[in-house]
Amino acid sequence: GHAEEEADRLEEATETVIRLAALARGMDGHRRIALTTYVLRLWFEQVVEAANIRLAAMSAGRYELVRTDEGETRRQRSGLTLAVIDRHTGQERSPKSLSGGETFFTSLALALGLADVVKAEAGGIELDTLFIDEGFGSLDAQTLDQVMSVIDELRDRGRAVGIVSHVADLKERVYERLEIRRLGDGSSTTTVVA
């Protein structure tokens, strides 16, 4: 009898803590979402919001990203996946349906959005150098202009933006550059253009 009373008392005393632990781990509650996932979703929403400002400029207002709870797997339903709203069709679609060029500038917009949120949230830490490796070759001339306008704006605000590319049209847009040329013997030469 005494042991049962003690067990009941302990269960009653720890019930609130056990319930809170279950809620924090996503094992209980209406949405069954872990506290860490909940916090990540809030950050993710901020990144998406910041990314959409750049994406609107790069896509001439066509695309907007939205956080979604839809998906086949539990991880996808945790609200840490994206859908794309296409303003031309009014439809929501998967990012997988974007072309190579669209995927490139959408990824770039997300990277810039993340840099903006880190700066705002982490005590003003500046992510002031950005390297973009390829991807420009998949853009048509008009989209290349839109993407370069966003990059020029970043440079005007004091960010250093490095571009790695084979696209000849970029030579006219980037005044300070390293040009690497392959020589006949298989070696290469580097020229600084400023």
Side-chain angles (χ1 to χ4, degrees):
H2 178 69
E4 284 177 359
E5 281 177 26
E6 182 65 17
D8 287 346
R9 192 185 65 73
L10 276 171
E11 187 179 324
E12 200 175 300
T14 58
E15 187 179 0
T16 305
V17 174
I18 289 168
R19 167 115 167 100
L20 282 173
L23 286 169
R25 288 196 346 258
M27 308 299 281
D28 201 348
H30 172 62
R31 293 301 303 273
R32 292 186 178 242
I33 180 168
L35 181 60
T36 49
T37 305
Y38 179 77
V39 172
L40 281 172
R41 275 168 60 157
L42 290 176
W43 274 71
F44 192 42
E45 278 176 8
Q46 290 178 42
V47 170
V48 170
E49 196 177 309
N52 276 329
I53 295 166
R54 317 281 192 191
L55 185 55
M58 291 185 208
S59 68
R62 178 173 182 179
Y63 295 121
E64 181 183 338
L65 295 170
V66 288
R67 186 186 61 72
T68 180
D69 296 321
E70 303 299 315
E72 302 88 52
T73 67
R74 184 182 164 151
R75 188 184 71 76
Q76 288 174 328
R77 288 191 301 273
S78 68
L80 296 173
T81 43
L82 290 169
V84 178
I85 296 173
D86 186 336
R87 297 276 175 230
H88 284 190
T89 63
Q91 299 293 309
E92 189 174 293
R93 52 194 262 205
S94 165
K96 291 177 185 169
S97 69
L98 296 173
S99 70
E102 291 165 341
T103 299
F104 168 70
F105 65 66
T106 302
S107 300
L108 178 56
L110 275 167
L112 295 171
L114 179 61
D116 291 340
V117 170
V118 166
K119 180 182 174 185
E121 295 288 333
I125 292 173
E126 287 271 6
L127 295 179
D128 52 7
T129 304
L130 176 73
F131 279 92
I132 307 165
D133 189 2
E134 292 300 346
F136 291 91
S138 55
L139 304 178
D140 60 65
Q142 183 184 351
T143 310
L144 180 61
D145 278 347
Q146 289 160 348
V147 170
M148 286 306 296
S149 295
V150 171
I151 290 171
D152 289 342
E153 182 190 317
L154 290 172
R155 291 201 333 244
D156 290 344
R157 290 185 183 176
R159 277 197 178 147
V161 182
I163 296 169
V164 179
S165 184
H166 294 94
V167 176
D169 289 353
L170 282 174
K171 282 185 191 174
E172 275 121 63
R173 298 291 304 253
V174 179
Y175 307 114
E176 298 167 11
R177 59 187 186 272
L178 287 175
E179 289 184 359
I180 300 169
R181 296 190 188 286
R182 187 179 300 146
L183 301 174
D185 62 1
S187 65
S188 59
T189 176
T190 304
T191 312
V192 177
V193 180

